[in-house]
Amino acid sequence: LKSDNTFNYDHLFTHVSNFIKHADISVALQETVFYIDPSGKSKPNFLNTPKELGDAIANAGFNTVLHGTQSAYSRLDAGIINTLAFWKNEHPNVKVLGISKTETGENDCYIYE
């Protein structure tokens, strides 16, 4: 925790980010969803991950994140909506698989060439 009550997790990927950035497709499994309260601050707990971990995932070079886990669905709509909004607004180049705003996930297919 930094003095401004934010987190930085870039150090988690220090030794592997060079490999990740050079891959055509790099996939991370993010087990939990992000919680962002109205003030914009993260509130981590057992089932909520600080949004700064998402920043570290993107900074490391991952271009695809898998979120379709039991932990994601245990937070129901709010956690999924927060997580989808985070990726769309903060790192739109990162594709999210496994969760969707719709039950069928239409328009959630990505083709890499």
Side-chain angles (χ1 to χ4, degrees), residues 3 18-19 52 64 78 89 102:
S3 61
N18 193 42
F19 299 106
E52 292 87 354
T64 306
N89 298 330
T102 65

Side-chain angles (χ1 to χ4, degrees), residues 52-101:
E52 292 87 354
L53 182 59
D55 294 330
I57 289 169
N59 293 342
F62 287 101
N63 57 24
T64 306
V65 178
L66 305 177
H67 271 289
T69 66
Q70 178 61 37
S71 296
Y73 287 97
S74 67
R75 300 311 278 174
L76 301 175
D77 292 342
I80 291 170
I81 290 169
N82 278 336
T83 300
L84 290 169
F86 168 79
W87 289 116
K88 180 181 178 185
N89 298 330
E90 302 296 324
H91 302 284
N93 57 320
V94 175
K95 305 305 179 204
V96 178
L97 301 175
I99 59 174
S100 177
K101 287 184 180 180

